[in-house]
Amino acid sequence: MKRRILGGTGISVSEYALGAMMFGALGNPDHDDSVRIIHRALDAGINFVDTADVYSEGESEEIVGKALKGRRDDIVLATKAHFPMGDDPNDGGNSRRWITQEVENSLRRLGTDYIDLYQIHRPDPTTDVDETLSVLSDLVRAGKVRAVGSSTFPAEQIVEAQWVSDRRGHVRFRSEQPPYSILARGVEAAVLPTARKYGMGVLSWGPLSAGWLTGRYTKASDIDLSGGRAAVEKHKFDPSLPDNARKLEAVDALAELASDAGLSLPHMAIAFVRAHPAITSVIIGPRTMEHLEDLLAGSEVELSEDVLDRIDEIVPPGTDLNRADSYYVPPALADKSLRRR
């Protein structure tokens, strides 16, 4: 497994990061099986594990903690905080109060005394970024966190955070974790160039676009809206919606291109993300050992210029075929009261 340096941290991480969202009730509830999957990934050369407090309500962090016993010092461990972890409004967000409390909870669940990369999972319009960066700086000085990063931040908020860090003397975000796939290329326009400008590492997630690029969906009838993720996020899967119809057409063309290139669609999809010069590591999120083995088999795939050019023709650079796949809606659009007197 090839390695790259994470931003300006000097930390060497594998080109694949193991995403742990599928370990726990949300995906694979079998702890022993999940631990075996994590060990297989580590044995294959992956040294970077990414999880979050909210994944299966802390269960993912507990599973990762079990798997890393005896191997912790060889692994770069990342987790995140922001989303609600309880009914109290203060049990979430990016405030000093919550982050101070939640980092201790994550350390306990992970069974470690430090986190290599602590990430803010989403922007919080109710908390001044100066407040967030201040507490993160304290955690770094206390040795509980080695480096900090953002996740799914728009370019303008990445810039704001960098400026605040510079002017207030805080630690700065060393990485950004955006959704990025052939079907969701919006981050190419501003997020990825901004991350490169500020020397940030980029840990991209969702390279298979929530299953769209696994080869599972070849026609509208393959999409089951009655269960699983498609039932929860129908606006991202319902083939009767124009944006999703466009995705289905693109997947058909991409599958043909992959076949012509002698590749599987998932291998081509992940190799596409890995080819972008801003990307440090691609997060893969297997639920089963079979999923992991298939993804590992494509870790050395490199795409030719001809294939990359053809992908650009199918899905133009900077395009999100469904805007919902950006996974971030600015507050001014999400809350109508901010647009009306």
Side-chain angles (χ1 to χ4, degrees):
M1 186 72 62
K2 296 178 182 176
R3 298 279 193 94
R4 295 176 180 175
I5 298 299
L6 180 63
T9 66
I11 299 173
S12 174
V13 297
S14 49
E15 285 189 337
Y16 275 13
L18 181 66
M21 188 175 75
M22 288 290 102
F23 302 141
L26 185 65
N28 186 345
D30 187 326
H31 285 212
D32 290 340
D33 188 47
S34 295
V35 167
R36 283 191 292 269
I37 294 170
I38 295 171
H39 286 171
R40 172 67 183 108
L42 303 184
D43 292 342
I46 292 177
N47 80 323
F48 198 5
V49 179
D50 177 83
T51 185
D53 57 355
V54 75
Y55 295 162
S56 296
E57 300 179 340
E59 189 181 2
S60 171
E61 286 187 327
E62 293 173 354
I63 292 171
V64 169
K66 292 177 183 178
L68 296 189
K69 285 182 179 179
R71 308 181 71 157
R72 174 67 184 92
D73 290 344
D74 299 324
I75 303 304
V76 178
L77 179 59
T79 192
K80 300 180 283 292
H82 164 81
F83 286 109
M85 291 293 286
D87 295 330
D88 190 309
N90 287 320
D91 291 345
N94 301 346
S95 69
R96 171 177 284 273
R97 182 184 192 276
W98 174 243
I99 291 174
T100 300
Q101 176 181 337
E102 187 60 357
V103 74
E104 296 295 342
N105 293 334
S106 286
L107 288 169
R108 172 179 48 79
R109 289 188 291 257
L110 290 164
T112 185
D113 56 5
Y114 71 98
I115 295 165
D116 293 291
L117 179 65
Y118 197 57
Q119 301 157 103
I120 301 303
H121 214 154
R122 292 292 189 279
D124 178 0
T126 68
T127 304
D128 191 328
V129 70
D130 178 51
E131 169 93 356
T132 304
L133 290 166
S134 174
V135 65
L136 292 175
S137 298
D138 289 345
L139 293 174
V140 170
R141 295 187 190 103
K144 295 179 180 181
V145 171
R146 299 293 192 251
V148 299
S150 56
S151 176
T152 319
F153 272 47
E156 66 271 16
Q157 294 197 37
I158 294 174
V159 172
E160 180 188 10
Q162 294 290 328
W163 285 5
V164 169
S165 291
D166 182 56
R167 294 175 182 179
R168 301 286 290 173
H170 299 320
V171 298
R172 64 188 183 93
F173 288 142
R174 289 293 191 173
S175 64
E176 161 60 15
Q177 187 179 133
Y180 183 37
S181 73
I182 297 176
L183 303 182
R185 302 183 62 175
V187 295
E188 292 175 339
V191 170
L192 297 186
T194 299
R196 292 193 77 189
K197 178 179 177 65
Y198 287 100
M200 299 170 70
V202 178
L203 321 171
S204 62
W205 60 274
L208 300 181
S209 197
W212 280 88
L213 295 173
T214 61
R216 181 188 314 162
Y217 306 130
T218 60
K219 54 186 181 300
S221 60
D222 292 331
I223 302 174
D224 180 8
L225 298 175
S226 65
R229 193 167 186 172
V232 177
E233 298 182 306
K234 288 185 179 180
H235 60 299
K236 297 178 184 177
F237 288 90
D238 186 348
S240 69
L241 299 178
D243 286 351
N244 295 326
R246 291 172 63 199
K247 285 163 67 171
L248 202 55
E249 291 177 6
V251 168
D252 184 59
L254 290 167
E256 182 178 350
L257 173 61
S259 178
D260 290 345
L263 301 170
S264 73
L265 180 57
H267 291 175
M268 184 180 79
I270 295 179
F272 165 83
V273 174
R274 207 175 72 246
H276 195 289
I279 300 299
T280 306
S281 189
V282 182
I283 297 174
I284 58 171
R287 181 175 55 82
T288 67
M289 188 69 78
E290 181 182 10
H291 292 164
L292 175 63
E293 294 292 356
D294 179 62
L295 295 173
L296 290 174
S299 63
E300 301 298 324
V301 171
E302 303 284 347
L303 302 184
S304 68
E305 285 292 317
D306 289 343
V307 170
L308 290 169
D309 288 344
R310 181 68 184 113
I311 290 173
D312 285 351
E313 293 173 3
I314 296 170
V315 181
T319 301
D320 287 332
L321 294 185
N322 185 331
R323 287 184 297 176
D325 289 333
S326 68
Y327 287 86
Y328 176 74
V329 179
L333 299 182
D335 184 352
K336 66 181 180 182
S337 70
L338 298 177
R339 305 190 303 275
R340 302 175 185 178
R341 291 186 182 276

